[in-house]
Amino acid sequence: MEELLLETINIIDAPKHVNETVKIGVWLTDKRSSGKIAFLQLRDGTAFFQGVVLKNIVGEDVFDEAKHLRQESSFWITGEIHEDTRSKFGYEIQVQSIELIGTSEEYPITPKDHGIDFLLDHRHLWLRSSRPHAILTIRNEVIRATYEFFNKEGFTKIDAPILTGNAPEGTTDLFHTEYFDHDAYLSQSGQLYEEAGALAFNKVFSFGPTFRAEKSKTRRHLIEFWMIEPEMAFMHQEESLEVQENYVAFLVQNVIDHCASSLEILNRDVELLKKYTKTPYPRISYDEAIEMLNKGGIPAKWGDDFGSPEETYLADQFEQPVFILNYPKAIKPFYMKPHPTRDDVVICADLLAPEGYGEIIGGSERAVDYDYLLQQIKSAGLNPADYEWYLDLRKYGSVPHSGFGLGLERFLTWVTGEDHVRETIPFPRLLNRIYP
């Protein structure tokens, strides 16, 4: 009867049950023992903490069972919650009983160090470890905070299709498929559809998967990633930049506020993150960036796009994320609005993250002139017939409008301080089975 009265809790709720006897379903991540005491490192999916097994309390049988538990065995554990000021979590459980649920033999991810490729090949199991658990906890918070931000700002979520007949970013990196008797592509971006949404709902955003058919294995690039893409009617670039910086600062602040234990597991410098919550962010033009690079000994000529070395150098000159404004028209997509006084640049901006993490946002004011946009589509080698619906947006009550896209995984790599973008998504190696 007494067993039935025990409250079953999660580890994350341990602070609410100090000096209470509780029951928790757990897995074993590691253990050590010395004489008449054993220390069990436990997880339950909500948090990690330590179970202390004292032989003189639990008896010979339970103590022997604890000593012979294998890594990732699952079991019910009953015990009393105590404070533990030495641990990052701050609490532990003094074990009274163990009820084995599932055994585990020869778990491949042992406590020793493993290479990143081995860990990604075993991602389905590596998710259980503390670092990926912390990263994905922060990912979840960023997603939650994204919806909060845009809901508070009056945005409507409009879902863009994943199969599309259009190429917003050009045709060279599209995944091609057939949609019955038509050509179709995995989406590079939901932007064009979001523009239609903005002219119906004023402010909209999408959040979904996007694909780039690039065989890139750099630490910054993914074949499949998730994008947050807002579009805003009656809005010029400077107003859009304010939305962008407020959004990024809001996300960082919410990670600080709600993911303290995860940031501690990752050894992320919270004081450094706090600097990124201060707005406005600095702004420099592309022209100024070229001049800055050359003065710093980084060769750059006007018209070049920026790669990792250039972006890292530019970001290092500031303590906050920095906007680079108005890139050359020749290196940007067809839909961007031309500059009013210069034919060689468009009204756009990239937001570069500090610490060498590169571009986390790309955005622009959108072209609104029908004839100009039609010519740009033709110049890009695209078929105007495929964009007839998009051109319609310029025929029927077009207004100034702007938008941007934030890559979730690149943003997470920066905020968590990780080395590789693949560590920020749950299952990054599935496509790598095809392209190893």
Side-chain angles (χ1 to χ4, degrees):
M1 184 67 178
E2 184 179 351
E3 175 69 20
L4 297 176
L5 297 176
L6 284 178
E7 184 173 0
T8 301
I9 70 165
N10 293 122
I11 293 175
I12 197 68
D13 295 320
K16 304 173 186 176
H17 297 275
V18 175
N19 298 326
E20 295 179 15
T21 299
V22 298
K23 184 177 181 180
I24 310 176
V26 298
W27 291 269
L28 181 74
T29 66
D30 199 4
K31 71 175 189 295
R32 61 184 177 88
S33 61
S34 176
K36 297 181 180 181
I37 186 170
F39 299 96
L40 309 180
Q41 303 305 316
L42 307 170
R43 67 176 187 87
D44 75 339
T46 68
F48 297 75
F49 78 165
Q50 179 174 261
V52 181
V53 188
L54 299 172
K55 186 175 181 179
N56 64 338
I57 291 179
V58 301
E60 185 77 37
D61 291 344
V62 173
F63 189 74
D64 187 65
E65 184 173 18
K67 286 180 63 177
H68 289 89
L69 288 169
R70 300 293 185 91
Q71 185 182 3
E72 287 304 314
S73 294
S74 58
F75 47 96
W76 290 104
I77 196 165
T78 300
E80 187 173 288
I81 300 295
H82 294 162
E83 289 191 33
D84 177 17
T85 56
R86 298 162 299 176
S87 73
K88 291 182 179 181
F89 183 66
Y91 300 87
E92 65 183 15
I93 186 168
Q94 184 170 305
V95 177
Q96 297 172 0
S97 68
I98 295 171
E99 180 187 342
L100 186 66
I101 301 172
T103 60
S104 174
E105 301 291 337
E106 298 181 359
Y107 185 69
I109 305 177
T110 60
K112 71 176 185 179
D113 289 336
H114 297 278
I116 185 65
D117 286 331
F118 175 87
L119 292 171
L120 289 172
D121 280 335
H122 293 83
R123 182 65 163 179
H124 57 293
L125 300 176
W126 190 32
L127 288 177
R128 306 178 182 192
S129 301
S130 60
R131 288 187 67 83
H133 187 277
I135 293 167
L136 294 182
T137 298
I138 293 172
R139 179 190 178 100
N140 183 68
E141 174 57 26
V142 168
I143 293 170
R144 187 208 62 77
T146 289
Y147 281 91
E148 180 183 347
F149 177 85
F150 288 115
N151 285 335
K152 283 183 175 180
E153 294 295 321
F155 283 71
T156 300
K157 186 172 184 289
I158 300 288
D159 294 318
I162 295 175
L163 281 177
T164 176
N166 307 109
E169 305 294 335
T171 60
T172 58
D173 57 359
L174 284 167
F175 277 109
H176 176 264
T177 186
E178 291 186 3
Y179 187 75
F180 301 102
D181 57 345
H182 296 281
D183 288 331
Y185 310 93
L186 291 179
S187 176
Q188 295 173 314
S189 167
Q191 178 212 310
L192 304 189
Y193 298 96
E194 296 308 302
E195 288 189 53
L199 298 186
F201 291 88
N202 190 273
K203 293 189 290 187
V204 299
F205 76 103
S206 65
F207 175 46
T210 54
F211 304 85
R212 301 291 164 86
E214 299 174 299
K215 288 188 176 182
S216 172
K217 295 191 73 174
T218 74
R219 71 185 186 95
R220 291 185 175 187
H221 293 91
L222 291 169
I223 292 171
E224 176 185 353
F225 56 98
W226 287 70
M227 287 273 283
I228 297 97
E229 297 182 278
E231 287 288 330
M232 300 152 287
F234 302 101
M235 187 169 288
H236 294 289
Q237 164 140 298
E238 185 53 40
E239 299 162 290
S240 175
L241 297 185
E242 291 178 11
V243 174
Q244 293 173 47
E245 63 194 0
N246 289 338
Y247 172 47
V248 169
F250 183 82
L251 294 182
V252 176
Q253 186 63 60
N254 275 268
V255 169
I256 293 171
D257 291 344
H258 300 128
C259 300
S261 60
S262 294
L263 292 170
E264 188 172 5
I265 287 170
L266 299 172
N267 295 315
R268 191 63 166 120
D269 185 344
V270 175
E271 293 305 313
L272 188 59
L273 289 178
K274 288 179 180 179
K275 293 182 179 180
Y276 309 149
T277 67
K278 309 301 181 186
T279 59
Y281 294 157
R283 293 144 165 75
I284 63 170
S285 69
Y286 173 88
D287 296 345
E288 291 170 322
I290 291 292
E291 183 179 351
M292 189 178 293
L293 288 167
N294 285 309
K295 285 184 177 179
I298 310 290
K301 64 178 185 297
W302 200 97
D304 288 346
D305 204 355
F306 297 146
S308 177
E310 292 82 10
E311 290 181 345
T312 298
Y313 178 82
L314 292 170
D316 284 347
Q317 310 312 303
F318 303 90
E319 293 190 345
Q320 297 165 285
V322 56
F323 286 109
I324 311 296
L325 309 180
N326 303 341
Y327 283 72
K329 181 191 297 186
I331 61 174
K332 287 297 181 181
F334 68 88
Y335 52 74
M336 295 185 175
K337 184 176 181 178
H339 195 278
T341 62
R342 293 178 57 177
D343 292 333
D344 54 347
V345 299
V346 287
I347 303 176
C348 66
D350 287 350
L351 182 63
L352 306 185
E355 305 174 72
Y357 286 94
E359 177 197 338
I360 54 172
I361 286 181
S364 74
E365 192 166 336
R366 314 311 191 189
V368 296
D369 182 84
Y370 180 95
D371 294 330
Y372 173 83
L373 189 57
L374 176 61
Q375 183 56 50
Q376 287 297 104
I377 290 170
K378 292 178 179 178
S379 297
L382 303 172
N383 183 358
D386 293 335
Y387 296 84
E388 184 176 354
W389 68 270
Y390 183 65
L391 289 164
D392 275 351
L393 305 179
R394 277 68 182 173
K395 290 170 62 177
Y396 306 111
S398 183
V399 298
H401 59 288
S402 300
F404 63 92
L406 178 141
L408 176 62
E409 288 78 16
R410 183 80 66 81
F411 176 85
L412 284 166
T413 308
W414 165 52
V415 169
T416 60
E418 290 304 290
D419 292 331
H420 206 296
V421 68
R422 285 183 292 173
E423 297 181 48
T424 64
I425 59 177
F427 302 106
R429 288 290 289 220
L430 295 183
L431 283 178
N432 286 29
R433 302 291 184 186
I434 303 170
Y435 168 56

